[in-house]
């Protein structure tokens, strides 16, 4: 007994704070939204530099700069959500190897290291070959960095609506949506019509696939469990109905329509509007899907 009491006094308390009604709110929404841009711009940068190297060489530094900024926004909101933010280093020195937070922190750190290396070689050394080599490894690491939030949500097993397979797909689609939208705004009229067409297709397909997944959860989710039916009530005529549909329309429906119009008419001026709508709508969609499962009591 004495040994157990002594051991207990050596426990390290990391999150000794009261939990609010909604544990994950807009801070985590900012976390996911910024991460989607930070990883998505890397995905699209890699794709364009491989397929259109002569026309897209100018994007190398802007791509890595944007990714660095938004990944650090993601990390900032991650740390402040810990409440005890000055203890975040415990994640590295007292790791819990089955926690998605621990694994995600390590992967994000490696991702940032590669980004800084890319920035060094393109801005200081002017070494495009080394930049491109690092970009390949950065893309590989961007995948688990994008997916780790889905794993974290899936570990919250009491929240029936957060299922790992669909959340993983939504994280990748969000990165492609945000990455293509950001690239459209970045390139503007500097891109050729062929590049704009590729970005439009990625944006439109990502929006369509994400919308289909959301609708599948909305329509068929209520058949899975009693808890899901209760959660979906907040979408079907509940307090978050308007916000949910604003997000769906702005993030997915508007971009799909504008992409179709731009491809049909071979006129790409509508893509900027689609890009802005997608980025705003993605934040709203992520926020609603994050909040509504937390509105149910745990008992």
């Amino acid at each position: 007994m004495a040994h157990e009491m002594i051991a207990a006094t050596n426990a390290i308390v990391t999150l000794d704070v009261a939990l609010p009604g909604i544990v994950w709110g807009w801070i985590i929404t900012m976390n996911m939204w910024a991460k989607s841009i930070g990883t998505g711009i890397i995905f699209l940068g890699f794709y364009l530099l491989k397929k259109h190297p002569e026309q897209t060489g100018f994007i190398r530094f802007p791509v890595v700069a944007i990714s660095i900024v938004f990944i650090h926004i993601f990390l900032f909101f991650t740390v402040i959500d810990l409440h005890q933010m000055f203890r975040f280093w415990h994640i590295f020195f007292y790791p819990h190897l089955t926690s998605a937070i621990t694994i995600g922190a390590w992967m994000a750190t490696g991702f940032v290291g590669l980004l800084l290396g890319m920035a060094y070689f393109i801005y200081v050394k002017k070494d495009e070959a080394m930049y491109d080599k690092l970009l390949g490894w950065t893309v590989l690491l961007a995948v688990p960095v994008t997916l780790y939030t889905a794993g974290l949500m899936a570990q919250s097993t009491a929240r029936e609506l957060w299922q790992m397979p669909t959340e993983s797909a939504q994280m990748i689609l969000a990165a492609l949506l945000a990455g293509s939208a950001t690239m459209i705004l970045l390139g503007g009229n500097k891109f050729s019509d062929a590049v704009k067409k590729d970005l439009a297709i990625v944006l439109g397909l990502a929006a369509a696939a994400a919308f289909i997944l959301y609708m599948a959860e909305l329509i068929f989710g209520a058949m899975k469990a009693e808890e899901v039916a209760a959660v979906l009530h907040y979408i079907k005529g509940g307090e978050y109905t308007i916000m949910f549909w604003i997000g769906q329309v702005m993030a997915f429906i508007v971009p799909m329509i504008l992409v179709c119009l731009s491809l049909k008419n071979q006129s790409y001026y509508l893509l900027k509007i689609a890009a802005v709508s997608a980025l705003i709508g993605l934040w709203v969609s992520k926020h609603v899907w994050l909040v509504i499962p937390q509105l149910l009591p745990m008992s």
Side-chain angles (χ1 to χ4, degrees):
M1 179 65 71
H3 174 74
E4 292 178 358
M5 291 176 63
I6 293 174
T9 61
N10 294 326
I12 297 175
V13 179
T14 304
L15 297 175
D16 53 344
V17 293
L19 295 177
I22 294 178
V23 178
W24 290 343
W26 69 270
I27 291 177
I28 298 301
T29 306
M30 285 296 301
N31 167 309
M32 294 188 292
W33 182 79
K35 177 166 61 67
S36 295
I37 296 176
T39 57
I41 195 73
I42 291 295
F43 292 146
L44 270 296
F46 179 79
Y47 171 76
L48 292 182
L49 287 170
K50 289 296 182 181
K51 188 174 181 181
H52 305 281
E54 299 85 4
Q55 305 172 42
T56 57
F58 71 93
I59 70 172
R60 282 187 173 89
F61 180 72
V63 161
V64 73
I66 290 171
S67 184
I68 288 173
V69 168
F70 279 93
I71 284 299
H72 280 86
I73 292 174
F74 151 66
L75 293 173
F76 170 75
F77 282 101
T78 300
V79 171
I80 64 171
D81 184 67
L82 295 176
H83 301 285
Q84 293 287 4
M85 65 185 71
F86 297 110
R87 300 180 187 176
F88 76 91
W89 56 271
H90 289 176
I91 295 173
F92 297 95
F93 289 91
Y94 303 97
H96 194 303
L97 299 181
T98 61
S99 170
I101 295 178
T102 299
I103 304 302
W106 290 349
M107 292 189 300
T109 301
F111 185 69
V112 169
L114 287 172
L115 290 176
L116 294 176
M118 289 167 59
Y120 172 76
F121 281 108
I122 196 62
Y123 187 75
V124 179
K125 293 294 186 179
K126 312 297 182 183
D127 188 343
E128 293 183 356
M130 192 62 190
Y131 174 98
D132 290 346
K133 288 180 181 178
L134 288 180
L135 177 58
W137 291 105
T138 307
V139 169
L140 291 177
L141 196 54
V143 174
V145 170
T146 301
L147 293 178
Y148 111 88
T149 309
L152 181 60
M153 295 171 73
Q155 286 188 326
S156 305
T157 53
R159 304 305 182 187
E160 186 80 21
L161 200 59
W162 297 336
Q163 301 293 329
M164 183 62 179
T166 52
E167 292 303 324
S168 296
Q170 286 289 16
M171 294 298 170
I172 290 293
L173 292 172
L176 293 175
L177 184 83
S180 56
T182 305
M183 190 68 76
I184 288 169
L185 296 175
L186 168 65
N189 296 326
K190 296 179 182 178
F191 287 142
S192 66
D193 285 351
V195 175
K196 292 177 183 177
K197 181 178 179 181
D198 281 0
L199 291 173
I201 291 173
V202 173
L203 178 63
L205 290 179
F211 181 69
I212 290 170
L213 277 181
Y214 272 117
M215 291 303 101
E217 288 291 297
L218 177 64
I219 296 170
F220 299 109
M223 299 169 61
K224 294 177 182 176
E226 198 173 84
E227 291 82 0
V228 179
V231 170
L232 291 179
H233 167 72
Y234 291 97
I235 300 176
K236 298 177 179 178
E239 59 183 297
Y240 279 88
T241 298
I242 294 176
M243 191 174 185
F244 173 80
W245 286 109
I246 287 175
Q248 295 294 303
V249 170
M250 293 189 68
F252 311 126
I253 297 176
V254 168
M256 283 191 288
I257 294 173
L258 294 181
V259 163
C260 289
L261 290 174
S262 66
L263 292 176
K264 179 180 179 181
N265 301 322
Q266 295 186 343
S267 177
Y268 299 102
Y269 69 92
L270 294 175
L271 291 183
K272 290 184 179 180
I273 301 174
V276 172
S277 179
L279 290 173
I280 295 173
L282 182 63
W283 193 98
V284 177
S285 297
K286 288 290 184 184
H287 185 67
V288 174
W289 206 252
L290 177 72
V291 169
I292 57 173
Q294 301 177 66
L295 299 176
L296 284 180
M298 298 297 290
S299 59

